[in-house]
Amino acid sequence: EFCSSLAGIMLLEVFLVLGTAIIIIIFFPSKKKEETLPFKEGWWGKGRKPDTEEDTTVRPFKVETTEEELSDLFRRLDQARFTEPLENSCFHYGTNSVYLRKVVSYWKNQFNWKKQVEVLNKYPQFKTKIQGIDIHFVHVKPPRLPEGQSAKPLLMVHGWPGSFYEFYKIIPLLTDPASHGLGDKHVFEVICPSIPGYGFSEAPHKKDFNSVSAASVFYELMLRLGFNEFYAQGGDCGWLICTNLAQIAPNHVKGLHLNLALVMNVGFTHLLSVLLGRYLPGLFGFQDEDVKRMFPFLEKGLYKILLESGYAHIQATKPDTVGCGLNDSPVGLAAYILEKFSTWTDLEFRSLEDGGIERKFNLDDLLTNIMIYWVSGCMVSSMRFYKENLQKGIGTQKHEKLTVQVPTGIASFPNEIMHTPQAWAQKKYTNIVSFHFMPRGGHFAALEEPELLAEDIMQFVEKVEKEQLWRKK
Amino acid sequence: LQDLHQRLDQARFAPPLEGAAFHYGFNSIYLQKVVAYWRNEFDWRKQVEVLNKYPHFKTTIEGIDIHFIHVKPSYVPHGRAVQPLLMVHGWPGSFYEFYKIIPLLTEPAGHGLNEGDVVFEVICPSIPGYGFSEAPRQKGFDSIATARIFHKLMNRLGFKEYYLQGGDWGSRITTNMAQMLPQSVKGLHLNLVFISRQGLRRMISVMLGAYVPWLVGLTKEDVKRSYPFIQKNIYTLLQESGYLHIQATKPDTAGCGLNDSPVGLAAYILEKFSTWTDKSFLHRDDGGLESKYSLEELLTNVMIYWVTSSIVSSMRYYKENISKDPTLSFDARVGVHVPTGIAAFPQEIVHAPRVWAKDVYKNIITYTYMPSGGHFAAFEE
């Protein structure tokens, strides 16, 4: 009798706890209102903002190089000091210096920067002053348009440690799809700006230039170029900036395409789904592929983040310190950047002595990207972007709490650093039109798998255009 | 020297943000002043003579060359035995950090220190991978391996019982030495205590400590130094541990540029000498460095890393010691029973109250709240 009443009490307690939990989950979901994110005014130039009107002209720009620049670089490469790696360490301790020596040798003896400058200049580039700083961008119009069609403007934003150059392989697939077997239903004119502080865009001189600032600047850019409606595409920092852009100007962004979509607002349901998702995937909206990529969670989630986020931690706290040596030693800069092109393309590459980098990229492309950081001296300012975005913590800022109602397409690449299941992404992106598990590829999708990415962008735009989804917001 | 000067001459600097002081890391405007001094006034040949004023030695242990200085007192008071004292440096320091304290320990009477007429002979080794000690070539060289090597060193020098002193990595290494061979350790003195997470009990103690500190064994000074807890322990740690995170995961990447750019190396190392000496130095355009140290001595330490090319191997030490789950390592579960003395400096990165130190150090003989000073105690105070 005593036992049964005890059991009864325990059962009652269990029901009470469960009931409370269910009530909390149902009636108090995290409130995400559908408000727009305010446009962020700013002035990032040196010293005080002048009283005169800002110069809004768009000037053509060409990348240039000098003999002095090249001889300075070669001198530094010649005098580079390397440290022997530990035996059998491959890429587990970071970039392997034995492989790095080979890269430096190629850089000195075979890489042709003058030729690469011509490659960079094959697409028209421009600069224009916005909010006090010079914004660099590439603007490629389609070589031909089918009768009666107009080019769709597409803004593509790079990330760190990438640059506008990452898009050079995908641009022709989007501006001239017919010549690449992608049909001619949708033809784009592509705008690839450099984030302020990256490459040939001037670095902000004032504190607090974060992703919302970048989104506001790019919004002004698109308006200045005469685009009232456009598509936006991004990964890495580009993901965040384009998301903010869709939040600031939902009536101007026809569609948002992402190859990365991280969860910033981690809540109780996320925790629960991590604990139980492996066993009850259906309950949490996980598909088989989600489970495959996410579990075991400690290994594929938590430990992986800890192992791979050291750079983000130091850049978010002491960018000027860590960037200093990288702006002075091209070899150090190359080691730092190449490590990401290895590990973020495929984590297994850490176990390879050469980091597997040349399996997916060629050295000319990788070194061209590195040279953009070197000749512009932008490593430090590029790192400051992490501090400006992360210093208040993750999930604390206003834009992280607001949703996105713009039609969204997500291309989920298997070797991306963190996998976000659609079930989690749709809490933020409330209007997901397409979500595809890509068959292969990692973080630098545009450079590594341009055809796959272009195809996904095409099918996404097809869906948006066919159903005129942007009008239904 | 020519190579160094050429690199200093060709240094490329990125201007700091307006009003950044040291909040974004080492301020490059002040860095240019440091580099100008380094290039034009710093006399490395003279500093080499300064370094050589104490006797240096090398000996091979477990396959690598171990560097150390060994300073004997020139005068031993009548009837007093000389106590051997092993002092271990940390990162980004070196054996050079002890140069000012050595005379106070080998010749206390000459410096007005007459406590108990204790006289030391001091041995300061360089941790393998740091300075003039050879770097290990194999993976897995951690503080326990270091502790074992230093015991062998003392043994080889003919010492059966000795005192140990350490801060930073030196604290962990000397603690491991005391855990490994307590019969050889007469006493352990630390100026930094690593506090291991104790889980729920510690959390409760922290929460109660804000209101009824005496109930959980915290003193007024403990409260002053530890609270507001989240601010001083969690935020500060997160703000200041970026270097630790990247060094514990990708040391070869992090150190590559620093081994090639002396200016980058100086910025990286001197940032610690600023922030870890006094947290308020973050607000100063010059990082407050010259208010506590001379550029000459700061750069001598940096030069040790530069001329030995040891920055990468010094960083690997973090990966070897931190990668493993800290709660599983034996040294987290073995207590320290040798007599222990703790000097708690007010500007140390994180404060360790006596009551928490007791979890590991079972035999604390002295625990002193030092009136001033930060992380580089031997150098600064």
mmCIF file of all heavy atoms in Angstrom, chain A residues 377-404:
data_model
loop_
_atom_site.group_PDB
_atom_site.id
_atom_site.type_symbol
_atom_site.label_atom_id
_atom_site.label_comp_id
_atom_site.label_asym_id
_atom_site.label_seq_id
_atom_site.Cartn_x
_atom_site.Cartn_y
_atom_site.Cartn_z
ATOM 1 N N GLY A 377 47.372 44.705 -47.608
ATOM 2 C CA GLY A 377 47.693 44.830 -46.184
ATOM 3 C C GLY A 377 46.461 44.784 -45.300
ATOM 4 O O GLY A 377 46.393 45.453 -44.270
ATOM 5 N N CYS A 378 45.476 43.973 -45.672
ATOM 6 C CA CYS A 378 44.188 44.035 -44.973
ATOM 7 C C CYS A 378 43.965 42.955 -43.934
ATOM 8 O O CYS A 378 42.866 42.836 -43.396
ATOM 9 C CB CYS A 378 43.043 43.983 -45.993
ATOM 10 S SG CYS A 378 42.862 42.346 -46.750
ATOM 11 N N MET A 379 44.991 42.167 -43.618
ATOM 12 C CA MET A 379 44.745 41.052 -42.698
ATOM 13 C C MET A 379 44.204 41.530 -41.348
ATOM 14 O O MET A 379 43.245 40.978 -40.811
ATOM 15 C CB MET A 379 46.038 40.238 -42.490
ATOM 16 C CG MET A 379 45.810 38.895 -41.835
ATOM 17 S SD MET A 379 44.494 37.950 -42.625
ATOM 18 C CE MET A 379 44.784 36.307 -42.013
ATOM 19 N N VAL A 380 44.850 42.560 -40.798
ATOM 20 C CA VAL A 380 44.417 43.038 -39.482
ATOM 21 C C VAL A 380 42.970 43.525 -39.529
ATOM 22 O O VAL A 380 42.149 43.143 -38.696
ATOM 23 C CB VAL A 380 45.341 44.168 -38.970
ATOM 24 C CG1 VAL A 380 44.808 44.758 -37.678
ATOM 25 C CG2 VAL A 380 46.748 43.630 -38.733
ATOM 26 N N SER A 381 42.649 44.365 -40.506
ATOM 27 C CA SER A 381 41.273 44.891 -40.548
ATOM 28 C C SER A 381 40.271 43.779 -40.831
ATOM 29 O O SER A 381 39.143 43.819 -40.343
ATOM 30 C CB SER A 381 41.142 46.016 -41.575
ATOM 31 O OG SER A 381 41.700 45.648 -42.807
ATOM 32 N N SER A 382 40.687 42.759 -41.586
ATOM 33 C CA SER A 382 39.750 41.657 -41.851
ATOM 34 C C SER A 382 39.445 40.909 -40.559
ATOM 35 O O SER A 382 38.317 40.473 -40.333
ATOM 36 C CB SER A 382 40.318 40.697 -42.898
ATOM 37 O OG SER A 382 41.306 39.855 -42.354
ATOM 38 N N MET A 383 40.444 40.808 -39.693
ATOM 39 C CA MET A 383 40.236 40.095 -38.431
ATOM 40 C C MET A 383 39.379 40.904 -37.462
ATOM 41 O O MET A 383 38.644 40.342 -36.651
ATOM 42 C CB MET A 383 41.584 39.786 -37.782
ATOM 43 C CG MET A 383 42.373 38.745 -38.550
ATOM 44 S SD MET A 383 43.946 38.430 -37.723
ATOM 45 C CE MET A 383 44.332 36.820 -38.391
ATOM 46 N N ARG A 384 39.485 42.229 -37.558
ATOM 47 C CA ARG A 384 38.691 43.064 -36.641
ATOM 48 C C ARG A 384 37.196 42.816 -36.802
ATOM 49 O O ARG A 384 36.432 42.993 -35.860
ATOM 50 C CB ARG A 384 38.980 44.543 -36.890
ATOM 51 C CG ARG A 384 40.328 44.986 -36.334
ATOM 52 C CD ARG A 384 40.541 46.471 -36.553
ATOM 53 N NE ARG A 384 41.920 46.845 -36.270
ATOM 54 C CZ ARG A 384 42.596 47.779 -36.914
ATOM 55 N NH1 ARG A 384 42.012 48.454 -37.891
ATOM 56 N NH2 ARG A 384 43.836 48.049 -36.591
ATOM 57 N N PHE A 385 36.800 42.371 -37.995
ATOM 58 C CA PHE A 385 35.370 42.109 -38.254
ATOM 59 C C PHE A 385 34.837 41.087 -37.258
ATOM 60 O O PHE A 385 33.683 41.154 -36.846
ATOM 61 C CB PHE A 385 35.200 41.609 -39.695
ATOM 62 C CG PHE A 385 33.808 41.760 -40.242
ATOM 63 C CD1 PHE A 385 33.185 43.003 -40.303
ATOM 64 C CD2 PHE A 385 33.100 40.655 -40.714
ATOM 65 C CE1 PHE A 385 31.909 43.136 -40.822
ATOM 66 C CE2 PHE A 385 31.818 40.787 -41.235
ATOM 67 C CZ PHE A 385 31.217 42.027 -41.290
ATOM 68 N N TYR A 386 35.707 40.139 -36.844
ATOM 69 C CA TYR A 386 35.284 39.129 -35.876
ATOM 70 C C TYR A 386 34.995 39.771 -34.532
ATOM 71 O O TYR A 386 33.999 39.465 -33.880
ATOM 72 C CB TYR A 386 36.370 38.050 -35.726
ATOM 73 C CG TYR A 386 36.312 37.035 -36.830
ATOM 74 C CD1 TYR A 386 36.732 37.353 -38.111
ATOM 75 C CD2 TYR A 386 35.799 35.756 -36.612
ATOM 76 C CE1 TYR A 386 36.637 36.439 -39.141
ATOM 77 C CE2 TYR A 386 35.707 34.833 -37.635
ATOM 78 C CZ TYR A 386 36.127 35.180 -38.899
ATOM 79 O OH TYR A 386 36.046 34.272 -39.931
ATOM 80 N N LYS A 387 35.870 40.676 -34.123
ATOM 81 C CA LYS A 387 35.668 41.318 -32.827
ATOM 82 C C LYS A 387 34.395 42.163 -32.853
ATOM 83 O O LYS A 387 33.602 42.134 -31.931
ATOM 84 C CB LYS A 387 36.870 42.201 -32.477
ATOM 85 C CG LYS A 387 36.762 42.823 -31.074
ATOM 86 C CD LYS A 387 38.042 43.524 -30.676
ATOM 87 C CE LYS A 387 38.178 43.957 -29.235
ATOM 88 N NZ LYS A 387 37.037 44.332 -28.490
ATOM 89 N N GLU A 388 34.214 42.915 -33.936
ATOM 90 C CA GLU A 388 33.048 43.793 -34.016
ATOM 91 C C GLU A 388 31.745 43.006 -33.970
ATOM 92 O O GLU A 388 30.725 43.496 -33.500
ATOM 93 C CB GLU A 388 33.095 44.659 -35.276
ATOM 94 C CG GLU A 388 34.369 45.473 -35.462
ATOM 95 C CD GLU A 388 34.599 46.525 -34.375
ATOM 96 O OE1 GLU A 388 34.018 46.411 -33.279
ATOM 97 O OE2 GLU A 388 35.385 47.459 -34.602
ATOM 98 N N ASN A 389 31.787 41.772 -34.456
ATOM 99 C CA ASN A 389 30.561 40.975 -34.470
ATOM 100 C C ASN A 389 30.377 40.090 -33.247
ATOM 101 O O ASN A 389 29.260 39.781 -32.864
ATOM 102 C CB ASN A 389 30.524 40.088 -35.720
ATOM 103 C CG ASN A 389 30.142 40.870 -36.945
ATOM 104 O OD1 ASN A 389 29.105 41.515 -36.983
ATOM 105 N ND2 ASN A 389 30.981 40.841 -37.957
ATOM 106 N N LEU A 390 31.501 39.668 -32.655
ATOM 107 C CA LEU A 390 31.385 38.661 -31.597
ATOM 108 C C LEU A 390 31.643 39.176 -30.198
ATOM 109 O O LEU A 390 31.400 38.464 -29.232
ATOM 110 C CB LEU A 390 32.374 37.509 -31.875
ATOM 111 C CG LEU A 390 32.066 36.661 -33.100
ATOM 112 C CD1 LEU A 390 33.226 35.720 -33.412
ATOM 113 C CD2 LEU A 390 30.800 35.854 -32.873
ATOM 114 N N GLN A 391 32.119 40.424 -30.063
ATOM 115 C CA GLN A 391 32.582 40.821 -28.732
ATOM 116 C C GLN A 391 31.489 40.864 -27.680
ATOM 117 O O GLN A 391 31.767 40.767 -26.491
ATOM 118 C CB GLN A 391 33.316 42.151 -28.784
ATOM 119 C CG GLN A 391 32.486 43.318 -29.268
ATOM 120 C CD GLN A 391 33.367 44.528 -29.475
ATOM 121 O OE1 GLN A 391 34.459 44.595 -28.931
ATOM 122 N NE2 GLN A 391 32.920 45.475 -30.275
ATOM 123 N N LYS A 392 30.236 41.016 -28.123
ATOM 124 C CA LYS A 392 29.181 41.037 -27.106
ATOM 125 C C LYS A 392 28.608 39.650 -26.861
ATOM 126 O O LYS A 392 27.643 39.488 -26.143
ATOM 127 C CB LYS A 392 28.078 42.001 -27.535
ATOM 128 C CG LYS A 392 28.574 43.436 -27.633
ATOM 129 C CD LYS A 392 27.431 44.418 -27.790
ATOM 130 C CE LYS A 392 27.941 45.813 -28.054
ATOM 131 N NZ LYS A 392 28.358 46.021 -29.452
ATOM 132 N N GLY A 393 29.215 38.665 -27.485
ATOM 133 C CA GLY A 393 28.717 37.313 -27.295
ATOM 134 C C GLY A 393 27.839 36.896 -28.458
ATOM 135 O O GLY A 393 27.471 37.695 -29.305
ATOM 136 N N ILE A 394 27.501 35.612 -28.493
ATOM 137 C CA ILE A 394 26.682 35.094 -29.587
ATOM 138 C C ILE A 394 25.232 35.033 -29.143
ATOM 139 O O ILE A 394 24.933 34.573 -28.051
ATOM 140 C CB ILE A 394 27.179 33.688 -29.985
ATOM 141 C CG1 ILE A 394 28.639 33.784 -30.427
ATOM 142 C CG2 ILE A 394 26.323 33.092 -31.080
ATOM 143 C CD1 ILE A 394 29.256 32.460 -30.752
ATOM 144 N N GLY A 395 24.341 35.490 -29.989
ATOM 145 C CA GLY A 395 22.921 35.383 -29.675
ATOM 146 C C GLY A 395 22.383 36.550 -28.874
ATOM 147 O O GLY A 395 21.250 36.542 -28.437
ATOM 148 N N THR A 396 23.207 37.600 -28.691
ATOM 149 C CA THR A 396 22.758 38.699 -27.839
ATOM 150 C C THR A 396 22.276 39.901 -28.636
ATOM 151 O O THR A 396 21.647 40.786 -28.094
ATOM 152 C CB THR A 396 23.908 39.183 -26.944
ATOM 153 O OG1 THR A 396 25.024 39.497 -27.797
ATOM 154 C CG2 THR A 396 24.328 38.119 -25.953
ATOM 155 N N GLN A 397 22.623 39.926 -29.935
ATOM 156 C CA GLN A 397 22.308 41.140 -30.678
ATOM 157 C C GLN A 397 20.930 41.090 -31.290
ATOM 158 O O GLN A 397 20.367 40.030 -31.511
ATOM 159 C CB GLN A 397 23.349 41.326 -31.780
ATOM 160 C CG GLN A 397 24.740 41.504 -31.203
ATOM 161 C CD GLN A 397 25.758 41.641 -32.288
ATOM 162 O OE1 GLN A 397 25.792 42.664 -32.963
ATOM 163 N NE2 GLN A 397 26.550 40.615 -32.481
ATOM 164 N N LYS A 398 20.429 42.292 -31.600
ATOM 165 C CA LYS A 398 19.053 42.395 -32.070
ATOM 166 C C LYS A 398 18.832 41.578 -33.343
ATOM 167 O O LYS A 398 17.857 40.852 -33.453
ATOM 168 C CB LYS A 398 18.746 43.867 -32.327
ATOM 169 C CG LYS A 398 17.342 44.070 -32.814
ATOM 170 C CD LYS A 398 16.948 45.536 -32.828
ATOM 171 C CE LYS A 398 15.462 45.610 -33.147
ATOM 172 N NZ LYS A 398 14.940 46.945 -33.130
ATOM 173 N N HIS A 399 19.779 41.702 -34.296
ATOM 174 C CA HIS A 399 19.533 41.047 -35.585
ATOM 175 C C HIS A 399 19.523 39.531 -35.458
ATOM 176 O O HIS A 399 18.940 38.827 -36.280
ATOM 177 C CB HIS A 399 20.559 41.495 -36.636
ATOM 178 C CG HIS A 399 21.951 40.974 -36.413
ATOM 179 N ND1 HIS A 399 22.354 39.741 -36.864
ATOM 180 C CD2 HIS A 399 23.027 41.503 -35.775
ATOM 181 C CE1 HIS A 399 23.611 39.549 -36.532
ATOM 182 N NE2 HIS A 399 24.049 40.594 -35.871
ATOM 183 N N GLU A 400 20.164 39.026 -34.389
ATOM 184 C CA GLU A 400 20.179 37.575 -34.209
ATOM 185 C C GLU A 400 18.829 37.073 -33.735
ATOM 186 O O GLU A 400 18.496 35.903 -33.890
ATOM 187 C CB GLU A 400 21.271 37.189 -33.204
ATOM 188 C CG GLU A 400 22.665 37.375 -33.797
ATOM 189 C CD GLU A 400 23.757 37.301 -32.750
ATOM 190 O OE1 GLU A 400 23.592 37.890 -31.671
ATOM 191 O OE2 GLU A 400 24.769 36.649 -33.016
ATOM 192 N N LYS A 401 18.035 37.986 -33.153
ATOM 193 C CA LYS A 401 16.738 37.545 -32.634
ATOM 194 C C LYS A 401 15.629 37.711 -33.665
ATOM 195 O O LYS A 401 14.552 37.138 -33.511
ATOM 196 C CB LYS A 401 16.395 38.340 -31.372
ATOM 197 C CG LYS A 401 17.446 38.182 -30.273
ATOM 198 C CD LYS A 401 16.900 38.622 -28.930
ATOM 199 C CE LYS A 401 17.929 38.381 -27.832
ATOM 200 N NZ LYS A 401 18.786 39.530 -27.559
ATOM 201 N N LEU A 402 15.877 38.494 -34.716
ATOM 202 C CA LEU A 402 14.831 38.712 -35.714
ATOM 203 C C LEU A 402 14.861 37.623 -36.779
ATOM 204 O O LEU A 402 15.919 37.084 -37.091
ATOM 205 C CB LEU A 402 15.042 40.074 -36.387
ATOM 206 C CG LEU A 402 14.901 41.291 -35.487
ATOM 207 C CD1 LEU A 402 15.177 42.557 -36.284
ATOM 208 C CD2 LEU A 402 13.500 41.360 -34.895
ATOM 209 N N THR A 403 13.688 37.352 -37.340
ATOM 210 C CA THR A 403 13.606 36.318 -38.370
ATOM 211 C C THR A 403 13.818 36.934 -39.753
ATOM 212 O O THR A 403 13.949 38.152 -39.889
ATOM 213 C CB THR A 403 12.235 35.625 -38.351
ATOM 214 O OG1 THR A 403 11.222 36.627 -38.488
ATOM 215 C CG2 THR A 403 12.030 34.864 -37.063
ATOM 216 N N VAL A 404 13.815 36.060 -40.755
ATOM 217 C CA VAL A 404 13.966 36.473 -42.143
ATOM 218 C C VAL A 404 12.761 35.950 -42.901
ATOM 219 O O VAL A 404 12.499 34.742 -42.898
ATOM 220 C CB VAL A 404 15.262 35.890 -42.748
ATOM 221 C CG1 VAL A 404 15.347 36.207 -44.228
ATOM 222 C CG2 VAL A 404 16.476 36.412 -42.011
#
